[in-house]
């Protein structure tokens, strides 16, 4: 039996864009009027059935939704415990969940009459998804990407360029996702009239965390219905990897009020949580303000932001979406971490047992599944978000395995 | 009367605008910053703005970003910046100092303790770039309690309808970000200022300072004709990089002459 809390956990954020004490709108005054305009436009779109209908059309015919729910039988047998299901968002057009959000935002940009799109990207999946929808709708696209990530995600850089996007390598800071986001914001401040900034994760100033979550909730809503159809009940555990937190919140949110479902977010532990080289903002960070929102951050004693580290460029971010910070503090979602090594092992296990090459990001979620599944009984169910495919990662995986391509 | 209000009151009787040069703390080391603060005060700076280095200065262009990085490499911290203020105050008790930076280091220090320490050590005002009016209740009570002016940014995107909201609780002066963009890039024209400044004047009796993109004595003079203060940052940081402290002070002197030579349009 699932009990629905009388007081739903699903109606955040409040009028100030806050989830508890997290979230908000910490941007320079130049951007504030734009953020307010965006919020009003999004609220109007949400209330307009034709907007959702248009989005549904593209999700079905362009992205290929609903994505399958796959019973990973061999993997389940190999781990010898719980029954494991994959929500296969890696089957989406462009190979990850990122496109769900990009379509929502570009349809909104069109409604607002914006004629130029910018985005930040880490792994390049969000950049590719943004470049893709820009090609689809004929809008010019500029993608900011850390110089280090440009190097380790070359296939995606080439993809973006093929799709007609301009890719700007960002060499400030450590040259990763955080720095790309800084430069995207700087571009936005300088081009306020015509430019729409498509943020790729459930973070940033309000209304982004709520808006990105709403666009990603299709994952959890589909999975819930598919689970009921396949098993006649909800899963016992739902697991997702956390970079900024968009695929995870998309999976978790529709289950927040179903208290029987344990929700587990997996951060990147990099070389280990005690190594200072990780991206585990909830496990090892503390609350602060970056990129427009108050949330858990990796920072030093002076409040300077620390560089994150992960084998996965998509998880290499020192912050996390504010709704996760709140869900962490109220204890509704458990947040754990998986190391580079554990993710690499899970990557190979999935490939061998299921014939699915996962992205390194969901490999972190899978790494945690391999830890808990053996301790669970055979009639218990784990639902994992397989939010991206690993084609983009084969070069860096080869390098880590010492294989010359 | 606060130090900042005192300076503007004095300048009003002289009929001229203020020059506000900028120093990024610890760029490239503490001694240089101290020498700049002292030298600027003696070479025509009416108020000095001190940048508090932050790893992720989202509103800043490449010049101030790089200066902040150099400052952090030299060991800058909020404690360090306040120590710099304390030392400057030993020999100068009249030049107002305004700290400019981002919210997170202040949160990390503790807002209440930061405001108390800053005021005690001789800071006059605060500009927190990523704290818009919608979130300002985080800072205003403690700043007010300690007599610190909270200086608000107004941008070209700030509508007339929004101006009263933005200016709520602000004091000292209003910082007009004269371009839509980051620091050190574009420059507003005289026509831009003639169009923009009156609409801000209509909303506040506070002095108006113009920053972002003011580089030369000529540009400072144009600003001085329309507004009450010219803020110069990136150009001075570049001079310091290219030359040395003396060259920066030479530039400050020239900027000050530009401001002093300009006849103010009816304020
Ligand atoms: C496949 C995949 N999963 C996860 C992420 C992390 O982002 P988020 O936590 O927003 O889902 C990324 C980011 O690039 C990604 O490409």
């Amino acid at each position: 039996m699932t009990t629905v809390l009388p007081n739903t956990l699903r109606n955040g954020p409040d009028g100030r864009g806050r989830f508890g004490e997290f979230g908000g709108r910490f941007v320079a005054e130049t951007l504030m009027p734009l953020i307010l305009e965006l919020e009003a436009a999004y609220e109007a779109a949400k209330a307009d059935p034709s907007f959702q209908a248009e989005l549904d059309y593209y999700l079905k015919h362009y992205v290929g939704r609903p994505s399958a729910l796959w019973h990973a039988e061999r993997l389940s047998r190999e781990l010898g415990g719980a029954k494991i299901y994959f929500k296969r968002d890696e089957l989406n057009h462009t190979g990850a969940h990122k496109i769900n959000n990009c379509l929502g935002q570009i349809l909104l940009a069109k409604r607002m009459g914006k004629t130029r799109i910018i985005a930040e990207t880490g792994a390049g999946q969000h950049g590719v998804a943004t470049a893709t929808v820009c090609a689809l709708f004929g809008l010019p696209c500029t993608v900011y990407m850390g110089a280090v990530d440009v190097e380790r995600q070359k296939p995606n850089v080439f993809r973006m360029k093929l799709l007609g996007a301009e890719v700007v390598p960002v060499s400030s800071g450590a040259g990763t996702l955080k720095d790309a986001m800084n430069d995207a914001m700087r571009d936005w401040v300088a081009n306020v009239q015509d430019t729409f900034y498509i943020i790729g994760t459930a973070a940033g100033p309000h209304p982004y965390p709520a808006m990105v979550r709403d666009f990603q909730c299709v994952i959890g809503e589909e999975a819930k219905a598919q689970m009921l159809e396949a098993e006649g009940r909800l899963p016992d555990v739902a697991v997702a990897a956390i970079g900024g937190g968009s695929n995870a919140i998309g999976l978790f949110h529709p289950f927040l009020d179903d208290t029987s479902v344990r929700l587990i977010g997996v951060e990147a532990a990099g070389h280990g949580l005690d190594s200072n080289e990780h991206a585990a903002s909830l496990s090892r960070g503390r609350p602060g303000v970056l990129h427009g929102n108050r949330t858990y951050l990796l920072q030093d004693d002076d409040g300077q932001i620390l560089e994150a580290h992960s084998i996965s460029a998509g998880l290499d971010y020192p912050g996390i979406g504010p709704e996760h910070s709140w869900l962490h503090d109220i204890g509704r979602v458990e947040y754990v971490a998986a190391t580079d090594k554990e993710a690499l092992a899970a990557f190979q296990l999935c490939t061998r047992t299921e014939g699915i090459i996962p992205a390194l990001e969901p490999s972190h979620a899978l790494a945690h599944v391999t830890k808990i599944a053996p301790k669970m009984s055979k009639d218990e169910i784990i639902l994992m978000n397989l939010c991206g495919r690993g084609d983009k990662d084969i070069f860096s995986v080869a390098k880590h395995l010492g294989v010359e391509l | 009367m606060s130090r900042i209000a005192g300076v503007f009151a004095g300048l009003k009787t002289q009929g001229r605008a203020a020059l506000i040069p900028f120093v990024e703390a610890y760029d490239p080391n503490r001694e240089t910053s101290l020498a700049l603060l002292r030298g600027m005060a003696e070479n025509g700076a009416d108020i000095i703005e001190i940048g508090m280095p932050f790893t992720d200065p989202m509103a800043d262009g490449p010049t101030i970003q790089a200066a902040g990085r150099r400052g952090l490499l030299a060991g800058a911290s909020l404690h360090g910046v306040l120590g710099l203020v304390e030392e400057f105050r030993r020999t100068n008790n009249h030049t107002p100092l305004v700290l400019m930076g981002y919210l997170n280091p202040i949160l990390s220090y503790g807002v209440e303790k930061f405001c108390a320490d800053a005021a005690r050590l001789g800071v006059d005002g605060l500009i927190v770039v990523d704290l818009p009016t919608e979130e300002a209740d985080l800072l205003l009570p403690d700043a007010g309690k300690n007599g610190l002016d909270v200086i608000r940014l107004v941008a070209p995107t700030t509508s007339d309808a929004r101006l009263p909201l933005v200016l709520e609780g602000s004091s000292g002066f209003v910082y007009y970000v004269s371009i839509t963009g980051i620091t050190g890039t574009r420059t507003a024209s005289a026509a831009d200022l003639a169009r923009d400044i009156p609409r801000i004047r209509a909303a506040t009796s506070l002095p108006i300072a113009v920053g972002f993109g003011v580089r030369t004595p000529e540009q400072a003079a144009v600003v001085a004709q329309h507004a009450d203060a010219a803020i110069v940052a990136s150009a001075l940081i570049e001079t310091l990089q290219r030359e040395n402290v003396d060259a920066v002070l030479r530039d400050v002197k020239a900027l000050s002459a530009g401001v002093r030579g300009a006849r103010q349009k009816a304020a």
Side-chain angles (χ1 to χ4, degrees):
Chain A
M1 261 298 287
T2 62
T3 44
V4 175
L5 293 167
N7 212 344
T8 176
L9 298 178
R10 299 195 62 192
N11 59 6
D14 66 16
R16 297 182 67 176
R18 295 193 182 180
F19 304 90
E21 65 171 289
F22 300 103
R25 295 175 284 221
F26 295 90
V27 295
E29 171 59 20
T30 312
L31 282 182
M32 200 61 212
L34 279 87
I35 301 270
L36 294 173
E37 182 197 349
L38 175 63
E39 182 185 356
Y42 178 55
E43 288 304 318
K46 244 193 337 193
D48 178 354
S50 73
F51 179 77
Q52 191 59 48
E54 196 181 7
L55 179 55
D56 288 346
Y57 172 85
Y58 285 102
L59 287 177
K60 178 170 178 199
H61 298 286
Y62 190 68
V63 177
R65 301 207 74 92
S67 68
L69 181 75
W70 172 245
H71 176 204
E73 241 181 305
R74 279 201 66 214
L75 177 73
S76 303
R77 221 179 304 129
E78 175 111 358
L79 294 174
K83 198 166 178 181
I84 299 160
Y85 279 89
F86 289 159
K87 177 58 176 165
R88 296 198 55 193
D89 256 51
E90 104 280 8
L91 292 176
N92 294 341
H93 179 44
T94 71
H97 65 291
K98 299 286 182 187
I99 190 116
N100 304 329
N101 167 50
C102 290
L103 270 172
Q105 288 199 48
I106 203 163
L107 291 177
L108 185 60
K110 279 192 6 168
R111 264 178 86 103
M112 294 175 72
K114 301 294 182 184
T115 54
R116 173 177 177 263
I117 301 292
I118 58 171
E120 86 294 339
T121 197
Q125 287 306 104
H126 174 60
V128 166
T130 304
T132 297
V133 297
C134 286
L136 178 64
F137 290 101
L139 292 180
C141 177
T142 300
V143 179
Y144 290 89
M145 187 169 188
V148 170
D149 292 339
V150 167
E151 205 40 51
R152 64 177 162 174
Q153 303 284 334
K154 278 186 193 143
N156 273 345
V157 174
F158 186 55
R159 259 179 215 122
M160 286 184 266
K161 288 182 177 166
L162 284 173
L163 289 161
E166 179 198 6
V167 180
V168 181
V170 177
S171 48
S172 61
T176 58
L177 184 53
K178 161 176 94 78
D179 313 294
M181 198 149 175
N182 288 337
D183 266 20
M185 291 231 172
R186 291 178 183 122
D187 179 313
W188 199 21
V189 171
N191 298 284
V192 293
Q193 297 308 332
D194 62 348
T195 297
F196 189 102
Y197 179 15
I198 300 187
I199 294 185
T201 192
H206 178 63
Y208 282 102
M211 179 169 71
V212 175
R213 172 200 70 201
D214 293 347
F215 291 141
Q216 291 295 1
C217 271
V218 66
I219 300 172
E221 278 153 14
E222 284 177 9
K224 199 168 180 176
Q226 289 166 321
M227 205 74 205
L228 288 172
E229 196 186 316
E231 294 282 345
R233 70 178 187 89
L234 298 180
D236 298 288
V237 182
V239 185
I242 308 252
S246 70
N247 87 84
I249 202 71
L251 179 70
F252 295 165
H253 206 259
F255 291 103
L256 283 182
D257 292 335
D258 301 305
T259 49
S260 70
V261 183
R262 240 179 103 190
L263 302 174
I264 305 178
V266 186
E267 298 189 295
H271 294 159
L273 284 182
D274 298 319
S275 70
N276 286 330
E277 283 181 281
H278 57 74
S281 17
L282 284 175
S283 298
R284 285 294 184 274
R286 59 191 173 88
V289 166
L290 178 71
H291 294 153
N293 58 163
R294 183 170 195 158
T295 193
Y296 276 79
L297 300 171
L298 299 180
Q299 54 182 316
D300 70 11
D301 290 343
D302 191 45
Q304 305 295 341
I305 308 303
L306 297 172
E307 298 300 342
H309 165 84
S310 171
I311 186 173
S312 142
L315 305 184
D316 208 343
Y317 182 66
I320 181 167
E323 195 164 10
H324 286 291
S325 290
W326 175 66
L327 291 168
H328 170 263
D329 276 16
I330 64 168
R332 176 62 186 96
V333 179
E334 294 161 56
Y335 294 89
V336 299
T339 63
D340 289 354
K341 266 207 182 102
E342 291 167 338
L344 266 176
F347 175 99
Q348 295 170 81
L349 177 69
C350 184
T351 305
R352 254 192 307 105
T353 57
E354 294 296 331
I356 299 171
I357 302 180
L360 281 170
E361 291 82 12
S363 295
H364 286 71
L366 186 60
H368 191 69
V369 168
T370 66
K371 294 177 200 170
I372 59 172
K375 295 183 224 153
M376 293 168 67
S377 72
K378 289 198 164 49
D379 54 5
E380 286 182 296
I381 300 170
I382 297 176
L383 166 64
M384 191 201 95
N385 197 9
L386 187 47
C387 59
R389 66 173 185 233
D391 309 44
K392 70 180 173 64
D393 293 315
I394 56 169
F395 298 98
S396 50
V397 168
K399 203 174 115 210
H400 284 278
L401 297 179
V403 177
E404 188 110 21
L405 290 188
Chain B
M1 198 186 297
S2 76
R3 271 198 204 96
I4 293 174
V7 163
F8 280 109
L11 292 180
K12 196 157 190 176
T13 64
Q14 296 175 37
R16 73 164 175 95
L19 173 69
I20 310 182
F22 177 98
V23 176
E24 182 77 2
Y26 284 65
D27 171 26
N29 54 52
R30 188 177 188 279
E31 298 69 49
T32 302
S33 295
L34 192 61
L36 283 172
L37 293 175
R38 288 179 171 153
M40 284 176 173
E42 287 159 12
N43 284 276
D46 297 296
I47 296 172
I48 303 175
E49 202 177 300
I50 303 177
M52 303 180 278
F54 180 51
T55 41
D56 294 83
M58 272 177 323
D60 287 305
T63 299
I64 297 186
Q65 284 177 47
R69 259 198 312 278
R70 288 190 296 269
L72 289 172
L73 275 176
S77 66
L78 234 45
H79 283 100
V81 173
L82 293 180
L84 201 57
V85 170
E86 184 179 23
E87 196 165 345
F88 174 78
R89 279 279 171 253
R90 283 191 202 137
T91 53
N92 181 319
N93 199 33
H94 63 275
T95 306
L97 296 177
V98 173
L99 299 186
M100 179 160 185
Y102 294 79
L103 183 60
N104 199 53
I106 296 175
L107 286 180
S108 181
Y109 194 105
V111 173
E112 194 181 347
K113 182 170 159 33
F114 176 73
C115 289
D117 289 355
R120 182 171 50 80
L121 297 172
V123 172
D124 299 285
L126 301 175
I127 304 173
V128 185
V129 178
D130 53 351
L131 191 74
T133 190
E134 277 75 3
E135 305 287 355
D137 54 353
L138 207 73
L139 179 67
L140 286 174
D142 288 308
K145 217 178 336 176
N146 289 287
L148 290 171
D149 285 321
V150 174
I151 292 143
R152 312 309 300 272
L153 302 178
V154 169
T157 50
T158 311
S159 65
D160 290 346
R162 191 175 153 73
L163 268 173
L165 186 71
V166 170
L167 295 171
E168 214 177 275
S170 77
S171 57
F173 59 89
V174 176
Y175 189 137
Y176 183 57
V177 174
S178 58
I179 50 145
T180 52
I182 51 180
T183 51
T185 49
R186 281 175 285 192
T187 303
S189 68
D192 293 338
L193 296 178
R195 182 197 59 215
D196 295 343
I197 301 296
R199 77 180 183 95
I200 305 171
R201 286 245 191 265
T204 181
S205 55
L206 289 172
I208 301 169
V210 171
F212 283 46
V214 185
R215 302 185 60 88
T216 64
E218 294 70 32
Q219 288 166 347
V222 170
V223 167
Q225 282 166 20
H226 294 91
D228 306 303
I231 301 173
V232 183
S234 296
L236 297 175
I237 291 172
E238 284 161 21
T239 298
L240 180 65
Q241 265 298 95
R242 224 178 23 239
E243 301 176 60
N244 51 31
V245 171
D246 287 342
V248 174
L249 300 183
R250 172 202 70 206
D251 287 0
V252 167
K253 210 171 207 165
L255 287 162
S256 165
V259 164
R260 281 160 204 262
R263 262 246 305 288
Q264 223 172 349
K265 305 240 160 89

